[in-house]
Amino acid sequence: MRVICTVNGVERSADDVWEGESLLYVLRERMGLPGSKNACEQGECGSCTVYLDGVAVCACLVAAGQAAGRDVVTVEGLADGEELHPVQRAFLDAGAVQCGFCTPGLVVAVHDLLEREAAPSDPEIREALAGNLCRCTGYEKILDAVRLAAARAREETP
Amino acid sequence: MEFLSPPTWADALAAKAARPDAVPLAGGTDVMVELNFRRRAPAALLDLTRVPELRAWREEDGLLRIGAGVSYARIMAELGGRLPGLARAARTVGSPQIRNRGTLGGNLGSASPAGDGHPPLLATGALVELASTRGVRRVPVAEFFTGPKQSVLSDDELIAAVLVPPAPGPQQFAKIGTRNAMVIAVASFALELRPEGSVGTGIGSAGPTPLRAPEAEAFAAAELPWASRGRLDPAVAERFGELVAAAASPIDDVRGTAAYRRRTLGVLARRTLTWAWSELCA
Ligand SMILES: Cc1cc2nc3c(=O)[nH]c(=O)nc-3n(C[C@H](O)[C@H](O)[C@H](O)COP(=O)(O)OP(=O)(O)OC[C@H]3O[C@@H](n4cnc5c(N)ncnc54)[C@H](O)[C@@H]3O)c2cc1C
Ligand code: FES
Ligand code: FES
């Protein structure tokens, strides 16, 4: 089947999509957007986190046909051209990126958290990121990155 | 495989009648895992996410009618005040991403004994509304489950909504797992205290279906100091826990042993009763 949806502000179309295929597969294999990662395909790791109509979801658990006509934003859609999004900048500056496989999903999840809560407490950060697994960092640097991104955003909008 | 995307509830019911083998698809947090791992190859998928009626909730004859497609995140955000037990249970489901997508209707559709939505629905005496082109029926949630992952839902039916009385008093939910997030319950327990002097219970993950604990309910109704609102006798809480544990029929599996589940349930029941009673008397 053909699936047409808006991805990062641009209308995109994919042909010959299998009816049981996930949005993640369509993004990575049919639309050339490999930012969202495929690690578990069962909602456990969060590395495929994208926005679907503004709501953060696991792209591996969305059927491609369910995304038809909807608005998808992937990690590729967060930066402003060559300018990294402040959440991405904070991940680099805090040393929260090691192998980097978990990073795109975490960046989207943190972006979502900070949209809802400008100054999250540590328990709020932990709860918001409970669905994103990282095998490298031990999470401390990721928490640092969230605090850094939040603090910088608050400095900019006093 | 076919992908059916009915835009209205009437179209969805007609599609299910025409294709009883079509698998309904809501948040996909159970169905897509099975498809991704090729554990299931249905002849058709019936996407329900475009049906507006399923995503709505409203008051109806003194009950809260929650569309089958309302997500856990929305239950937490929009119904926490009137259904604190269900909202507490919703908060323990998976991760934010799962709660943004997963629905109560999907939880019932999967009918897992471990589904976290079920104990609070049992404790509150909720009804499940099932619909087909033949008509509509309302089933008490205690009669909905017939076995592990089995329910009274027929091939041509869809789950329309659950109907839940707004909390008349304190409601609690507690769940045991290996982590505080992203866990299937090893055991779970939901409780409702009704100030006029009765108690509702729901047990999860400790039997072939989610269960009530009728003897524990009767005991608590008889023994709690409703009139005086006095202190909760620890012996009453203890006995309540024992009766809840006795109502379960758990098995040994990878997540825990039957003995551990029983012991845990006793503790969860005692604790939630203690919390709820102090809330009632506060
Ligand atoms: C990582 C992860 C963590 C999870 N953690 C938990 C947890 O902590 N607690 C818990 O209880 N569950 C958990 N689950 C399981 C799942 O999220 C829940 O069962 C959820 O409620 C399913 O809802 P859904 O809308 O995603 O259902 P779907 O996957 O879309 O559907 C589930 C089943 O219900 C049927 N169905 C859906 N809607 C209807 C309808 N309106 N009428 C008839 N049939 C219907 C489908 O055909 C299917 O059989 C988890 C899943 C994942 C992937
Ligand atoms: S790949 Fe989607 S959650 Fe792991
Ligand atoms: S940096 Fe390697 S998995 Fe997180």
PDB file of all heavy atoms in Angstrom, chain A residues 24 37-41 43-48 58 60, ligand 2:
ATOM      1  N   LEU A  24       8.544   2.874  11.991  1.00  0.00           N
ATOM      2  CA  LEU A  24      10.008   2.907  12.098  1.00  0.00           C
ATOM      3  C   LEU A  24      10.654   2.370  10.827  1.00  0.00           C
ATOM      4  O   LEU A  24      11.597   2.959  10.296  1.00  0.00           O
ATOM      5  CB  LEU A  24      10.460   2.088  13.322  1.00  0.00           C
ATOM      6  CG  LEU A  24      11.980   2.020  13.527  1.00  0.00           C
ATOM      7  CD1 LEU A  24      12.560   3.411  13.768  1.00  0.00           C
ATOM      8  CD2 LEU A  24      12.333   1.088  14.683  1.00  0.00           C
ATOM      9  N   LYS A  37      16.396   4.876  15.730  1.00  0.00           N
ATOM     10  CA  LYS A  37      17.116   3.596  15.704  1.00  0.00           C
ATOM     11  C   LYS A  37      16.179   2.421  15.956  1.00  0.00           C
ATOM     12  O   LYS A  37      15.166   2.550  16.620  1.00  0.00           O
ATOM     13  CB  LYS A  37      18.213   3.609  16.778  1.00  0.00           C
ATOM     14  CG  LYS A  37      19.304   4.638  16.520  1.00  0.00           C
ATOM     15  CD  LYS A  37      20.152   4.253  15.320  1.00  0.00           C
ATOM     16  CE  LYS A  37      21.187   5.302  14.982  1.00  0.00           C
ATOM     17  NZ  LYS A  37      20.741   6.186  13.872  1.00  0.00           N
ATOM     18  N   ASN A  38      16.591   1.289  15.425  1.00  0.00           N
ATOM     19  CA  ASN A  38      15.850   0.052  15.650  1.00  0.00           C
ATOM     20  C   ASN A  38      16.701  -0.866  16.513  1.00  0.00           C
ATOM     21  O   ASN A  38      17.699  -1.401  16.049  1.00  0.00           O
ATOM     22  CB  ASN A  38      15.544  -0.619  14.311  1.00  0.00           C
ATOM     23  CG  ASN A  38      14.833  -1.941  14.506  1.00  0.00           C
ATOM     24  OD1 ASN A  38      14.581  -2.351  15.638  1.00  0.00           O
ATOM     25  ND2 ASN A  38      14.510  -2.614  13.429  1.00  0.00           N
ATOM     26  N   ALA A  39      16.299  -1.029  17.751  1.00  0.00           N
ATOM     27  CA  ALA A  39      17.079  -1.893  18.636  1.00  0.00           C
ATOM     28  C   ALA A  39      16.283  -3.088  19.135  1.00  0.00           C
ATOM     29  O   ALA A  39      16.823  -4.167  19.261  1.00  0.00           O
ATOM     30  CB  ALA A  39      17.607  -1.100  19.822  1.00  0.00           C
ATOM     31  N   CYS A  40      14.997  -2.885  19.435  1.00  0.00           N
ATOM     32  CA  CYS A  40      14.268  -3.994  20.063  1.00  0.00           C
ATOM     33  C   CYS A  40      12.974  -4.341  19.333  1.00  0.00           C
ATOM     34  O   CYS A  40      12.493  -5.451  19.445  1.00  0.00           O
ATOM     35  CB  CYS A  40      13.964  -3.666  21.522  1.00  0.00           C
ATOM     36  SG  CYS A  40      12.657  -2.433  21.756  1.00  0.00           S
ATOM     37  N   GLU A  41      12.410  -3.387  18.626  1.00  0.00           N
ATOM     38  CA  GLU A  41      11.121  -3.579  17.937  1.00  0.00           C
ATOM     39  C   GLU A  41      10.021  -4.041  18.864  1.00  0.00           C
ATOM     40  O   GLU A  41       9.063  -4.671  18.432  1.00  0.00           O
ATOM     41  CB  GLU A  41      11.260  -4.578  16.782  1.00  0.00           C
ATOM     42  CG  GLU A  41      12.015  -4.029  15.609  1.00  0.00           C
ATOM     43  CD  GLU A  41      11.810  -4.884  14.368  1.00  0.00           C
ATOM     44  OE1 GLU A  41      12.364  -5.998  14.344  1.00  0.00           O
ATOM     45  OE2 GLU A  41      11.101  -4.441  13.454  1.00  0.00           O
ATOM     46  N   GLY A  43       9.136  -1.872  21.864  1.00  0.00           N
ATOM     47  CA  GLY A  43       8.736  -0.797  22.767  1.00  0.00           C
ATOM     48  C   GLY A  43       9.545  -0.696  24.046  1.00  0.00           C
ATOM     49  O   GLY A  43       9.221   0.107  24.915  1.00  0.00           O
ATOM     50  N   GLU A  44      10.587  -1.521  24.166  1.00  0.00           N
ATOM     51  CA  GLU A  44      11.309  -1.586  25.437  1.00  0.00           C
ATOM     52  C   GLU A  44      12.438  -0.586  25.547  1.00  0.00           C
ATOM     53  O   GLU A  44      12.822  -0.206  26.650  1.00  0.00           O
ATOM     54  CB  GLU A  44      11.907  -3.000  25.632  1.00  0.00           C
ATOM     55  CG  GLU A  44      10.890  -4.109  25.746  1.00  0.00           C
ATOM     56  CD  GLU A  44      10.282  -4.226  27.144  1.00  0.00           C
ATOM     57  OE1 GLU A  44      10.798  -3.605  28.086  1.00  0.00           O
ATOM     58  OE2 GLU A  44       9.265  -4.928  27.272  1.00  0.00           O
ATOM     59  N   CYS A  45      13.011  -0.150  24.411  1.00  0.00           N
ATOM     60  CA  CYS A  45      14.283   0.586  24.500  1.00  0.00           C
ATOM     61  C   CYS A  45      14.152   2.068  24.203  1.00  0.00           C
ATOM     62  O   CYS A  45      15.034   2.845  24.552  1.00  0.00           O
ATOM     63  CB  CYS A  45      15.316  -0.035  23.570  1.00  0.00           C
ATOM     64  SG  CYS A  45      15.059   0.358  21.817  1.00  0.00           S
ATOM     65  N   GLY A  46      13.114   2.490  23.535  1.00  0.00           N
ATOM     66  CA  GLY A  46      12.911   3.915  23.269  1.00  0.00           C
ATOM     67  C   GLY A  46      13.811   4.517  22.213  1.00  0.00           C
ATOM     68  O   GLY A  46      13.718   5.720  21.938  1.00  0.00           O
ATOM     69  N   SER A  47      14.669   3.727  21.573  1.00  0.00           N
ATOM     70  CA  SER A  47      15.617   4.305  20.621  1.00  0.00           C
ATOM     71  C   SER A  47      14.917   4.756  19.331  1.00  0.00           C
ATOM     72  O   SER A  47      15.504   5.450  18.511  1.00  0.00           O
ATOM     73  CB  SER A  47      16.732   3.315  20.298  1.00  0.00           C
ATOM     74  OG  SER A  47      16.214   2.208  19.609  1.00  0.00           O
ATOM     75  N   CYS A  48      13.648   4.390  19.162  1.00  0.00           N
ATOM     76  CA  CYS A  48      12.893   4.755  17.969  1.00  0.00           C
ATOM     77  C   CYS A  48      11.901   5.880  18.249  1.00  0.00           C
ATOM     78  O   CYS A  48      10.995   6.116  17.450  1.00  0.00           O
ATOM     79  CB  CYS A  48      12.132   3.537  17.462  1.00  0.00           C
ATOM     80  SG  CYS A  48      10.890   2.995  18.662  1.00  0.00           S
ATOM     81  N   CYS A  58       6.798   5.238  20.441  1.00  0.00           N
ATOM     82  CA  CYS A  58       7.783   4.337  19.842  1.00  0.00           C
ATOM     83  C   CYS A  58       7.347   4.078  18.402  1.00  0.00           C
ATOM     84  O   CYS A  58       6.285   3.469  18.173  1.00  0.00           O
ATOM     85  CB  CYS A  58       7.831   3.008  20.598  1.00  0.00           C
ATOM     86  SG  CYS A  58       8.363   3.170  22.311  1.00  0.00           S
ATOM     87  N   CYS A  60       8.367   1.985  16.422  1.00  0.00           N
ATOM     88  CA  CYS A  60       8.309   0.549  16.111  1.00  0.00           C
ATOM     89  C   CYS A  60       6.943  -0.039  16.423  1.00  0.00           C
ATOM     90  O   CYS A  60       6.634  -1.137  15.975  1.00  0.00           O
ATOM     91  CB  CYS A  60       9.410  -0.223  16.846  1.00  0.00           C
ATOM     92  SG  CYS A  60       9.201  -0.318  18.639  1.00  0.00           S
TER      93      CYS A  60
HETATM   94  S1  FES C   2      13.055  -0.135  18.712  1.00  0.00           S
HETATM   95 FE1  FES C   2      11.194   0.811  19.313  1.00  0.00          FE
HETATM   96  S2  FES C   2      11.349   0.793  21.457  1.00  0.00           S
HETATM   97 FE2  FES C   2      13.105  -0.345  20.884  1.00  0.00          FE
END
